[in-house]
Amino acid sequence: AQTVTQSQPEMSVQEAETVTLSCTYDTSESNYYLFWYKQPPSRQMILVIRQEAYKQQNATENRFSVNFQKAAKSFSLKISDSQLGDTAMYFCAFRGQGAQKLVFGQGTRLTINP
Amino acid sequence: EPEVTQTPSHQVTQMGQEVILRCVPISNHLYFYWYRQILGQKVEFLVSFYNNEISEKSEIFDDQFSVERPDGSNFTLKIRSTKLEDSAMYFCASLPTVSTDTQYFGPGTRLTVL
């Protein structure tokens, strides 16, 4: 069974700083998808960024980028020029091939301070 | 942009009562999911549904739970006899096809069992 681990329960940075959230996972599958979802206080889960395991190039979406290390089974999220609106719970998630369920990590509560 | 919608946003019920949580997935999506998140914990998979059948379910999804797609638009989760430990946020998600990767989440229904 796949597992996803986020080892940082909480993080706090100043506005405009760069912050990196860690995620590791375990799987025996060779192809899969990895995601970072953001859950603001309003509680709706919003996709931040996704990565396909067979793609070696790290995904980027504006200020958000990932560092995907397949051999190490590591998938960290970097947020550059952090903004107050980035304050949220961030979940790392894994999905195998096919229409399989998402397996979530425990989440990292990120606070951006003014 | 199409969205997954869920009703009600908050449901309060007495222990032992039946509740039905409703979701309207994005119209051309084929795969549907329910997840739940107990307060302060990670998001957990409950069940996936495709072609009017359950395709996968977790250990949490016992005989007290059922899902159906009664009219081609709604996707419902029924809990027959609620327990205190069913109190959680319930998220519906949908996926267009098996070859796409991103599940789209609804805003959630907060279920409180008294």
Side-chain angles (χ1 to χ4, degrees), chain A:
Chain A
Q2 294 90 0
T3 59
V4 178
T5 303
Q6 294 176 250
S7 58
Q8 304 152 311
E10 293 189 28
M11 295 189 73
S12 178
V13 298
Q14 296 299 119
E15 193 175 5
E17 290 183 348
T18 294
V19 60
T20 299
L21 309 183
S22 301
C23 173
T24 58
Y25 59 94
D26 190 26
T27 184
S28 57
E29 296 189 38
S30 57
N31 197 23
Y32 45 87
Y33 304 93
L34 295 162
F35 305 86
W36 280 97
Y37 279 90
K38 170 184 176 181
Q39 188 182 41
S42 66
R43 300 190 70 84
Q44 180 157 11
M45 300 262 278
I46 303 165
L47 178 69
V48 175
I49 198 166
R50 66 182 184 273
Q51 174 83 40
E52 296 171 76
Y54 69 87
K55 289 187 178 176
Q56 301 214 349
Q57 187 171 4
N58 289 324
T60 61
E61 289 285 343
N62 301 313
R63 298 182 295 108
F64 298 89
S65 61
V66 298
N67 183 4
F68 173 50
Q69 302 287 329
K70 191 172 184 179
K73 294 181 180 170
S74 169
F75 182 61
S76 60
L77 173 69
K78 185 170 86 170
I79 306 174
S80 303
D81 186 26
S82 57
Q83 301 174 358
L84 297 179
D86 296 333
T87 292
M89 196 77 166
Y90 286 80
F91 289 100
C92 178
F94 170 100
R95 186 194 143 204
Q97 281 283 77
Q100 295 186 26
K101 61 181 183 283
L102 287 171
V103 177
F104 286 87
Q106 303 93 321
T108 296
R109 184 175 304 281
L110 175 65
T111 302
I112 310 299
N113 299 306

Side-chain angles (χ1 to χ4, degrees), chain B residues 13-28:
Chain B
T13 190
Q14 295 290 326
M15 190 170 57
Q17 295 296 305
E18 174 183 287
V19 295
I20 297 176
L21 310 183
R22 291 183 168 79
C23 167
V24 179
I26 296 172
S27 64
N28 61 343

Side-chain angles (χ1 to χ4, degrees), chain A residues 3-5 33 35 37 39 41-47 50-52 89 91 95-107 109, chain B residues 3-4 31 33 35 37-45 48 55-56 89 91 95 97-108 110:
Chain A
T3 59
V4 178
T5 303
Y33 304 93
F35 305 86
Y37 279 90
Q39 188 182 41
S42 66
R43 300 190 70 84
Q44 180 157 11
M45 300 262 278
I46 303 165
L47 178 69
R50 66 182 184 273
Q51 174 83 40
E52 296 171 76
M89 196 77 166
F91 289 100
R95 186 194 143 204
Q97 281 283 77
Q100 295 186 26
K101 61 181 183 283
L102 287 171
V103 177
F104 286 87
Q106 303 93 321
R109 184 175 304 281
Chain B
E3 292 182 336
V4 177
Y31 296 83
Y33 307 82
Y35 296 84
Q37 184 184 28
I38 295 171
L39 186 64
Q41 298 186 22
K42 66 172 155 181
V43 179
E44 301 172 288
F45 167 76
S48 58
S55 44
E56 186 178 1
M89 196 77 169
F91 293 102
L95 182 73
T97 68
V98 71
S99 58
T100 53
D101 53 37
T102 303
Q103 293 180 20
Y104 293 84
F105 281 80
R110 179 180 299 283

